Amino acid sequence: MTNLPTDVKQPLSLIYLDANATTQVLPQAAAAALATMETFFGNPSSSHITGLQAQQIMAKTRQQAKQIVGAGEGEIIFTSGATEGIQTAILSALIAAKKTLDITAIKSKKYCLLYGATEHKAVPESLKHWNEILDINAEVTAIPVDKMGRLDMDFIAKQVPNALMICTMAVNNETGVYQDLNLLDKTIRANNANIAWMVDCVQALGKQDLNLAQTSIDYAPFSGHKLYAPKGIGFIYIKDNAPFTPVIAGGGQEGGLRSGTENLPGLAALSVIFDMLMGESEHSFTPVKSLHLFHQQIVATLIQAFPNIVFNHSFENSVPTTINFAIPGFSSKEMMDLFDAANVRVSSGSACSSKVTRSFVLDAMGLPSWQSESAIRMSFGPAMTQELVDQTCERIVSAAQALQQSCLTIDTNAMDSKVITDNKALEGLVQFKVGGSCSWLYVDHKTKSAFVIDPLPEVAERLQTMLTCHGLKLVAVIDSHGHADHVSCRASIAKTCLAEQKTDALGWPDNTPTTNINGNEYQYLTLGDKWLLKVATPGHTEDSISLLLCEPVTDSSDKLVVLYAFCGDLILMNSLGRTNFDTSSAPAMFTSLQLLNTLIGTESLICPSHDYNNEFTTSIGAEISRNSLLHKVINDEINSNFFSIQKYTMDKGIIDESGSVIMCGALIGAGDKVSVREYDSASLTEAMKKSSTIKLIDIREAHEYALQHDEKFTYNVPLTRLVQFVQEHQDDKQVPLVLICRSGSRSHLAAQALGRLGFEQVGHLTGGYAFHQY
Ligand code: PLP
């Protein structure tokens, strides 16, 4: 991060709302930690004065911890954090339980280890780990939760007699939902008086009063970095007489319960935080009553900014410092990008599957799938201030306005006037991607008309919002074929946005004019000064068509000038559409490929219905350089029979059974990796000194760009408009380009796509804005 550019606009200050993940170390805590590194750096095991000073810091912190959690006669052992505390609890409980196991009961799988379904992953993973290592072979069983995230007490009552351990949490890290510890205590003990019970108290510290010794909780792990102390320090409460086995043996520190030289800087910082919690510091935390008011203010602003917001938990049984919500129509990733651009740090669902980010906590609560995939968590701690809350609210409002200005949401209050300002003008092609599938919107700005191709249900709402917000008239909504892998939402869009239009089964309007090209008649639609030509290209399915956006044909012998070929699943990036459906025909595909080639040539851009590898667009020219089968078809090197045999073999490679996704074409190899130039801030500054023609392009979406960008990045080409950019620069591929995005991943994808399509000097800024200050 050296040599950062200096001629940049005043950056928006950072608002950090991800306290449940970790917190900034408070200056007074950092100062205490520093003092133990520079001055009171002794080893608490040493008996000289420097060692005694260290011991004193440790003893004070332990005393404070005991008081804050109400440890009574229980022990406090310092650890590296909560994950270590969780190991300590589980190992101790399971080693003790193992001594009492009955061999026949083990064999009949009688025993179980219980944990709450919304527990932090550290809990079930550690249970599984030690269950296996200690050869206990118990069932590791999740306790279900209800819609409000509360543990199922009946389930516990039924299962706990056979359990060797039960692990629950005080406050959930994703939702802030808290459990009724008294009720849990009663339920557990009424059914199993001796079972070891661990309560993960990480997210409760500083947000809830704890009185652990008055409960039957055996173990309670805590973590410093969730409450303004540094990472690497935590502690665990152990009830008097609870079984204990050290996880770490060695020099006998912590009375032999946890060896290893103590983390004195961490302890000193923790002590400062404890002073604040106990009101024994000149610095104070915000009282819980005010935290509730902050919560109310942020929630009210969110509702005002995003009127259709849905909250993912009940505030009735949640701490006020966590707000988890979803905005219909926006994925977690999109909202994260939006808030990051507004310089507000929030987080999304915690688990990552191959396709989408989703939250296993919200899944366990039985929330609808979209809420889990769109979850956003805002979390703060007791150091939150009124000033920061006010700034947060302003930032939420400007983020919502940025979405409205790029027509991704509609300001319902301003609906009557429907002001379409010039900066909202939309012209040309927009690509929407959902997983590996694509929908396309093409807009003619002059006539304010548009058509949509292959509309996916997931983008229906967004498409309709854009059409309304831009004041566009929909001319047609057409599917390139009957899709096998997903349901089209063509009919519903047509119903809301098209007046009584009579069409064929794919949505092509009746009674369109025809034109003659090379002796063949083709139907076409007019959109501004362009035509959309319909060409039957069966093969993948019998009904497959290609739609060619082209210049009007004035003479049947003219070469067709095609801007975009929407060819469905005929040619896919690094693949051909599969031909092993009931209505498929490989010989028909052979003919369709040759026909398409004569109509569009090798350079026109192909916009297929799938993009499995994030390549955005392609051309016959780009494909024949890596797809030898297509190369042979186009160059007349094989006949239809040979093609069909090859195609049969290729399609056998498609694995349908991979979840619910049906691949529409077998990928040929892994896709070629185009090497692109990687810049950091220093090398970019250097390159710009050498060349005045470098074009700096921010490829984030328009609303992200509007919220904040580096002034040097004068061009904004969102990924959804990349294909249009390629089309506009077909004759200008020598221009040096450097792309930037939030983290460097979108810019890398886009740079690779451009490189593959013949752009000669394309690079991107590694790490994106995350490593390149505004
Ligand atoms: N338990 C909960 C509820 C947490 O939120 C976390 C941290 O995310 C942990 C355990 C793990 O804590 P640590 O990072 O101190 O190991």
Side-chain angles (χ1 to χ4, degrees), residues 484-542:
D485 62 324
H486 65 262
V487 190
S488 163
C489 66
R490 189 180 55 71
S492 74
I493 294 192
K495 200 167 160 207
T496 24
C497 301
L498 276 175
E500 298 286 300
Q501 191 185 59
K502 292 227 162 44
T503 69
D504 68 11
L506 293 176
W508 183 267
D510 287 354
N511 305 320
T512 46
T514 59
T515 187
N516 189 294
I517 302 169
N518 303 332
N520 292 322
E521 287 293 316
Y522 297 100
Q523 289 176 278
Y524 67 92
L525 283 173
T526 306
L527 194 88
D529 59 359
K530 300 280 182 291
W531 280 8
L532 186 68
L533 203 75
K534 176 180 144 183
V535 181
T537 48
H540 175 63
T541 58
E542 205 174 345

Coordinates of all heavy atoms in Angstrom, one line a residue, residues 484-542:
A484 N -34.7 -26.6 -20.1 CA -34.9 -27.8 -19.3 C -34.4 -27.6 -17.9 O -34.9 -28.3 -17.0 CB -34.1 -29.0 -20.0
D485 N -33.5 -26.7 -17.7 CA -32.8 -26.6 -16.4 C -33.5 -25.6 -15.5 O -33.3 -25.5 -14.3 CB -31.4 -26.2 -16.6 CG -31.2 -24.8 -17.3 OD1 -32.1 -24.5 -18.2 OD2 -30.3 -24.1 -16.9
H486 N -34.3 -24.7 -16.1 CA -35.0 -23.7 -15.2 C -36.3 -23.3 -15.8 O -36.6 -23.6 -17.0 CB -34.1 -22.5 -15.0 CG -33.9 -21.7 -16.2 ND1 -32.7 -21.9 -17.0 CD2 -34.6 -20.8 -16.9 CE1 -32.8 -21.0 -18.0 NE2 -33.9 -20.4 -18.0
V487 N -37.1 -22.7 -15.0 CA -38.4 -22.2 -15.5 C -38.2 -20.8 -16.0 O -37.6 -20.0 -15.4 CB -39.4 -22.1 -14.3 CG1 -40.8 -21.9 -14.8 CG2 -39.4 -23.4 -13.5
S488 N -38.8 -20.5 -17.1 CA -38.7 -19.1 -17.7 C -39.8 -18.3 -17.0 O -40.8 -18.8 -16.7 CB -38.9 -19.1 -19.2 OG -39.2 -17.8 -19.6
C489 N -39.5 -17.0 -16.8 CA -40.6 -16.2 -16.3 C -41.2 -15.3 -17.4 O -41.7 -14.2 -17.1 CB -40.1 -15.3 -15.1 SG -39.0 -14.1 -15.6
R490 N -41.0 -15.8 -18.6 CA -41.4 -15.0 -19.8 C -42.9 -14.6 -19.7 O -43.3 -13.5 -19.9 CB -41.2 -15.8 -21.1 CG -41.4 -15.0 -22.3 CD -41.1 -15.9 -23.5 NE -41.9 -17.1 -23.5 CZ -43.2 -17.2 -23.8 NH1 -43.9 -16.1 -24.0 NH2 -43.8 -18.3 -23.7
A491 N -43.7 -15.6 -19.4 CA -45.2 -15.4 -19.3 C -45.6 -14.3 -18.3 O -46.4 -13.4 -18.6 CB -45.9 -16.7 -19.1
S492 N -44.9 -14.4 -17.2 CA -45.3 -13.4 -16.1 C -44.9 -12.0 -16.5 O -45.6 -11.0 -16.3 CB -44.8 -13.8 -14.7 OG -43.4 -13.6 -14.7
I493 N -43.7 -11.9 -17.1 CA -43.3 -10.5 -17.6 C -44.2 -10.0 -18.7 O -44.6 -8.9 -18.7 CB -41.8 -10.5 -18.0 CG1 -40.9 -10.9 -16.8 CG2 -41.4 -9.2 -18.7 CD1 -39.4 -10.6 -17.1
A494 N -44.5 -10.9 -19.6 CA -45.3 -10.5 -20.7 C -46.7 -10.0 -20.2 O -47.2 -9.0 -20.6 CB -45.5 -11.7 -21.7
K495 N -47.2 -10.8 -19.2 CA -48.5 -10.4 -18.6 C -48.5 -9.0 -18.0 O -49.4 -8.2 -18.2 CB -48.9 -11.4 -17.5 CG -50.3 -11.5 -17.2 CD -50.7 -12.7 -16.4 CE -52.0 -12.5 -15.8 NZ -52.1 -13.2 -14.5
T496 N -47.4 -8.7 -17.3 CA -47.4 -7.4 -16.6 C -46.9 -6.2 -17.6 O -47.3 -5.1 -17.4 CB -46.5 -7.3 -15.4 OG1 -45.5 -8.4 -15.5 CG2 -47.2 -7.5 -14.1
C497 N -46.0 -6.6 -18.5 CA -45.4 -5.5 -19.2 C -45.8 -5.4 -20.7 O -45.4 -4.4 -21.4 CB -43.8 -5.6 -19.2 SG -43.2 -5.6 -17.5
L498 N -46.4 -6.4 -21.2 CA -46.8 -6.3 -22.7 C -48.3 -6.3 -22.8 O -49.0 -7.1 -22.2 CB -46.3 -7.6 -23.4 CG -44.8 -7.6 -23.9 CD1 -44.5 -8.9 -24.4 CD2 -44.6 -6.5 -24.9
A499 N -48.7 -5.4 -23.6 CA -50.2 -5.3 -23.9 C -50.5 -6.6 -24.7 O -49.7 -7.2 -25.3 CB -50.5 -4.1 -24.7
E500 N -51.7 -7.0 -24.6 CA -52.3 -8.2 -25.3 C -51.5 -8.5 -26.6 O -52.0 -8.3 -27.7 CB -53.7 -7.9 -25.7 CG -54.7 -7.6 -24.6 CD -55.0 -8.9 -23.8 OE1 -55.6 -9.8 -24.5 OE2 -54.6 -9.0 -22.6
Q501 N -50.3 -9.1 -26.4 CA -49.6 -9.4 -27.6 C -49.7 -10.9 -28.0 O -49.6 -11.8 -27.1 CB -48.1 -9.1 -27.4 CG -47.2 -9.2 -28.6 CD -45.8 -9.0 -28.2 OE1 -45.2 -9.7 -27.5 NE2 -45.2 -7.9 -28.8
K502 N -50.1 -11.2 -29.2 CA -50.2 -12.6 -29.6 C -48.8 -13.1 -30.0 O -48.1 -12.4 -30.8 CB -51.2 -12.8 -30.8 CG -52.6 -12.5 -30.4 CD -53.5 -13.6 -30.9 CE -54.8 -13.6 -30.3 NZ -55.5 -12.3 -30.0
T503 N -48.4 -14.2 -29.5 CA -47.0 -14.7 -29.8 C -47.0 -16.2 -30.1 O -48.0 -16.9 -29.8 CB -46.1 -14.5 -28.7 OG1 -46.5 -15.3 -27.6 CG2 -46.1 -13.0 -28.2
D504 N -45.9 -16.7 -30.5 CA -45.7 -18.2 -30.5 C -45.3 -18.7 -29.1 O -45.2 -17.9 -28.2 CB -44.8 -18.6 -31.6 CG -43.3 -18.2 -31.4 OD1 -43.0 -17.8 -30.2 OD2 -42.5 -18.3 -32.3
A505 N -45.0 -20.0 -29.0 CA -44.8 -20.6 -27.7 C -43.5 -20.0 -27.0 O -43.4 -20.0 -25.8 CB -44.6 -22.1 -27.8
L506 N -42.6 -19.4 -27.8 CA -41.4 -18.9 -27.2 C -41.5 -17.4 -27.0 O -40.6 -16.7 -26.4 CB -40.2 -19.1 -28.1 CG -39.7 -20.6 -28.2 CD1 -38.6 -20.8 -29.2 CD2 -39.4 -21.2 -26.8
G507 N -42.6 -16.8 -27.4 CA -42.8 -15.3 -27.2 C -42.6 -14.5 -28.4 O -42.6 -13.2 -28.3
W508 N -42.3 -15.1 -29.6 CA -42.1 -14.3 -30.8 C -43.4 -13.8 -31.2 O -44.3 -14.6 -31.4 CB -41.4 -15.1 -31.9 CG -41.1 -14.3 -33.1 CD1 -41.9 -14.1 -34.2 CD2 -39.9 -13.4 -33.3 NE1 -41.3 -13.3 -35.1 CE2 -40.1 -12.8 -34.6 CE3 -38.8 -13.1 -32.6 CZ2 -39.2 -11.9 -35.1 CZ3 -37.9 -12.2 -33.1 CH2 -38.1 -11.6 -34.4
P509 N -43.6 -12.4 -31.4 CA -44.9 -11.9 -31.8 C -45.4 -12.4 -33.1 O -44.6 -12.6 -34.0 CB -44.6 -10.4 -31.8 CG -43.3 -10.1 -31.2 CD -42.5 -11.4 -31.3
D510 N -46.7 -12.5 -33.2 CA -47.3 -12.9 -34.5 C -47.2 -11.8 -35.5 O -47.1 -10.6 -35.1 CB -48.8 -13.2 -34.3 CG -49.0 -14.5 -33.5 OD1 -48.0 -15.2 -33.2 OD2 -50.2 -14.8 -33.1
N511 N -47.3 -12.2 -36.7 CA -47.4 -11.3 -37.9 C -46.3 -10.3 -38.0 O -46.5 -9.1 -38.3 CB -48.7 -10.5 -37.8 CG -49.9 -11.4 -37.7 OD1 -49.9 -12.4 -38.4 ND2 -50.9 -11.1 -36.9
T512 N -45.1 -10.7 -37.7 CA -43.9 -9.8 -37.9 C -43.5 -9.9 -39.4 O -43.7 -10.9 -40.1 CB -42.7 -10.2 -37.0 OG1 -42.5 -11.6 -37.1 CG2 -43.0 -9.8 -35.6
P513 N -42.9 -8.8 -39.9 CA -42.5 -8.8 -41.3 C -41.3 -9.8 -41.6 O -40.7 -10.2 -40.6 CB -42.0 -7.4 -41.6 CG -41.8 -6.8 -40.2 CD -42.6 -7.6 -39.2
T514 N -41.1 -10.1 -42.8 CA -40.0 -11.0 -43.2 C -39.0 -10.3 -44.1 O -39.3 -9.3 -44.8 CB -40.5 -12.3 -43.8 OG1 -41.1 -11.9 -45.0 CG2 -41.3 -13.1 -42.9
T515 N -37.8 -10.8 -44.2 CA -36.8 -10.3 -45.1 C -36.1 -11.5 -45.7 O -36.1 -12.6 -45.1 CB -35.8 -9.4 -44.4 OG1 -34.9 -8.8 -45.3 CG2 -34.9 -10.2 -43.4
N516 N -35.5 -11.3 -46.9 CA -34.8 -12.4 -47.5 C -33.3 -12.2 -47.4 O -32.8 -11.2 -47.8 CB -35.3 -12.4 -49.0 CG -34.8 -13.6 -49.7 OD1 -33.5 -13.8 -49.9 ND2 -35.7 -14.5 -50.1
I517 N -32.7 -13.2 -46.9 CA -31.2 -13.2 -46.8 C -30.7 -14.5 -47.4 O -31.1 -15.6 -47.0 CB -30.7 -13.1 -45.3 CG1 -31.3 -11.8 -44.7 CG2 -29.2 -13.0 -45.3 CD1 -31.1 -11.7 -43.2
N518 N -29.8 -14.3 -48.4 CA -29.2 -15.5 -49.1 C -30.3 -16.5 -49.5 O -30.1 -17.7 -49.4 CB -28.2 -16.2 -48.2 CG -27.1 -15.3 -47.8 OD1 -26.8 -14.3 -48.4 ND2 -26.5 -15.6 -46.6
G519 N -31.4 -16.0 -50.0 CA -32.4 -16.9 -50.5 C -33.4 -17.4 -49.4 O -34.3 -18.2 -49.7
N520 N -33.1 -17.1 -48.1 CA -34.0 -17.6 -47.1 C -34.8 -16.5 -46.5 O -34.3 -15.3 -46.4 CB -33.2 -18.2 -45.9 CG -32.5 -19.5 -46.4 OD1 -33.1 -20.3 -47.1 ND2 -31.3 -19.7 -46.0
E521 N -36.0 -16.8 -46.1 CA -36.9 -15.8 -45.5 C -36.8 -15.8 -43.9 O -36.8 -16.9 -43.3 CB -38.4 -16.1 -45.8 CG -38.8 -15.8 -47.2 CD -38.8 -14.3 -47.6 OE1 -39.3 -13.5 -46.7 OE2 -38.3 -14.0 -48.6
Y522 N -36.6 -14.6 -43.3 CA -36.5 -14.6 -41.9 C -37.4 -13.5 -41.4 O -37.6 -12.4 -41.9 CB -35.1 -14.2 -41.4 CG -34.0 -15.2 -41.8 CD1 -33.2 -15.0 -42.9 CD2 -33.9 -16.4 -41.1 CE1 -32.3 -16.0 -43.3 CE2 -32.9 -17.3 -41.4 CZ -32.1 -17.1 -42.5 OH -31.2 -18.1 -42.9
Q523 N -38.1 -13.8 -40.2 CA -38.9 -12.8 -39.6 C -38.1 -11.8 -38.8 O -37.0 -12.2 -38.3 CB -39.9 -13.5 -38.6 CG -41.0 -14.3 -39.4 CD -41.9 -15.0 -38.3 OE1 -41.5 -16.0 -37.9 NE2 -43.0 -14.4 -38.0
Y524 N -38.5 -10.6 -38.7 CA -37.8 -9.7 -37.8 C -38.7 -8.7 -37.1 O -39.8 -8.5 -37.5 CB -36.7 -8.9 -38.7 CG -37.3 -7.9 -39.7 CD1 -37.6 -6.6 -39.3 CD2 -37.6 -8.4 -41.0 CE1 -38.1 -5.7 -40.3 CE2 -38.2 -7.5 -41.9 CZ -38.4 -6.2 -41.5 OH -39.0 -5.3 -42.4
L525 N -38.1 -8.1 -36.0 CA -38.8 -7.1 -35.2 C -38.0 -5.8 -35.4 O -36.7 -5.9 -35.5 CB -38.7 -7.4 -33.7 CG -39.6 -8.5 -33.1 CD1 -39.2 -8.7 -31.7 CD2 -41.0 -7.9 -33.1
T526 N -38.6 -4.7 -35.3 CA -37.8 -3.4 -35.4 C -37.7 -2.8 -34.0 O -38.7 -2.8 -33.2 CB -38.5 -2.4 -36.3 OG1 -38.7 -3.1 -37.5 CG2 -37.6 -1.2 -36.5
L527 N -36.5 -2.4 -33.6 CA -36.3 -1.7 -32.4 C -35.4 -0.5 -32.7 O -34.2 -0.7 -32.9 CB -35.6 -2.6 -31.4 CG -35.7 -2.1 -29.9 CD1 -37.0 -2.6 -29.3 CD2 -34.5 -2.6 -29.2
G528 N -36.0 0.7 -32.7 CA -35.2 1.9 -33.1 C -34.7 1.7 -34.5 O -35.4 1.3 -35.4
D529 N -33.4 1.9 -34.7 CA -32.9 1.7 -36.0 C -32.2 0.3 -36.2 O -31.3 0.1 -37.0 CB -31.9 2.8 -36.3 CG -30.7 2.9 -35.4 OD1 -30.7 2.1 -34.4 OD2 -29.8 3.7 -35.5
K530 N -32.6 -0.6 -35.3 CA -32.0 -2.0 -35.4 C -33.1 -3.0 -35.7 O -34.3 -2.7 -35.4 CB -31.3 -2.4 -34.1 CG -30.1 -1.5 -33.7 CD -28.9 -1.8 -34.4 CE -27.7 -1.0 -34.0 NZ -27.8 0.4 -34.4
W531 N -32.7 -4.2 -36.2 CA -33.6 -5.3 -36.3 C -33.2 -6.4 -35.4 O -32.0 -6.6 -35.1 CB -33.5 -5.8 -37.8 CG -34.3 -5.0 -38.8 CD1 -34.9 -3.8 -38.6 CD2 -34.4 -5.4 -40.1 NE1 -35.4 -3.4 -39.8 CE2 -35.2 -4.4 -40.8 CE3 -34.1 -6.5 -40.9 CZ2 -35.6 -4.5 -42.1 CZ3 -34.4 -6.6 -42.2 CH2 -35.2 -5.5 -42.8
L532 N -34.2 -7.1 -35.0 CA -34.0 -8.4 -34.3 C -34.5 -9.5 -35.2 O -35.7 -9.6 -35.4 CB -34.7 -8.4 -32.9 CG -34.4 -9.6 -32.0 CD1 -32.9 -9.6 -31.6 CD2 -35.3 -9.7 -30.8
L533 N -33.6 -10.3 -35.7 CA -33.9 -11.3 -36.7 C -34.1 -12.7 -36.0 O -33.2 -13.0 -35.2 CB -32.8 -11.3 -37.7 CG -33.0 -11.8 -39.1 CD1 -33.7 -10.8 -39.9 CD2 -31.6 -12.1 -39.7
K534 N -35.1 -13.4 -36.4 CA -35.3 -14.7 -35.8 C -34.8 -15.8 -36.8 O -35.2 -15.8 -37.9 CB -36.8 -14.9 -35.5 CG -37.1 -16.3 -35.0 CD -38.6 -16.4 -34.7 CE -39.1 -17.7 -35.0 NZ -40.6 -17.8 -34.9
V535 N -33.9 -16.7 -36.3 CA -33.4 -17.7 -37.1 C -33.6 -19.1 -36.4 O -33.2 -19.2 -35.2 CB -31.8 -17.5 -37.3 CG1 -31.3 -18.6 -38.2 CG2 -31.5 -16.2 -37.9
A536 N -34.2 -20.0 -37.1 CA -34.4 -21.3 -36.5 C -33.1 -22.0 -36.4 O -32.4 -22.2 -37.4 CB -35.4 -22.1 -37.3
T537 N -32.6 -22.4 -35.2 CA -31.4 -23.1 -35.1 C -31.6 -24.3 -34.2 O -31.0 -24.4 -33.1 CB -30.3 -22.2 -34.5 OG1 -30.8 -21.5 -33.4 CG2 -29.8 -21.2 -35.5
P538 N -32.3 -25.3 -34.7 CA -32.6 -26.5 -33.9 C -31.3 -27.3 -33.6 O -30.3 -27.1 -34.3 CB -33.6 -27.3 -34.7 CG -33.4 -26.8 -36.1 CD -32.9 -25.4 -36.0
G539 N -31.4 -28.2 -32.7 CA -30.3 -29.1 -32.4 C -30.3 -29.4 -30.9 O -30.6 -30.5 -30.5
H540 N -30.0 -28.4 -30.1 CA -30.1 -28.6 -28.6 C -31.5 -29.0 -28.2 O -31.7 -30.0 -27.5 CB -29.7 -27.2 -28.0 CG -29.9 -27.2 -26.5 ND1 -29.1 -28.0 -25.6 CD2 -30.7 -26.5 -25.7 CE1 -29.5 -27.8 -24.4 NE2 -30.4 -26.9 -24.4
T541 N -32.5 -28.3 -28.8 CA -33.9 -28.7 -28.7 C -34.5 -28.4 -30.1 O -33.9 -27.7 -30.9 CB -34.7 -27.9 -27.7 OG1 -34.6 -26.5 -28.1 CG2 -34.2 -28.1 -26.3
E542 N -35.6 -29.0 -30.3 CA -36.2 -28.8 -31.7 C -36.7 -27.4 -31.9 O -36.6 -26.9 -33.0 CB -37.5 -29.8 -31.7 CG -37.9 -30.2 -33.1 CD -39.0 -31.2 -33.0 OE1 -39.2 -31.8 -31.9 OE2 -39.6 -31.4 -34.1

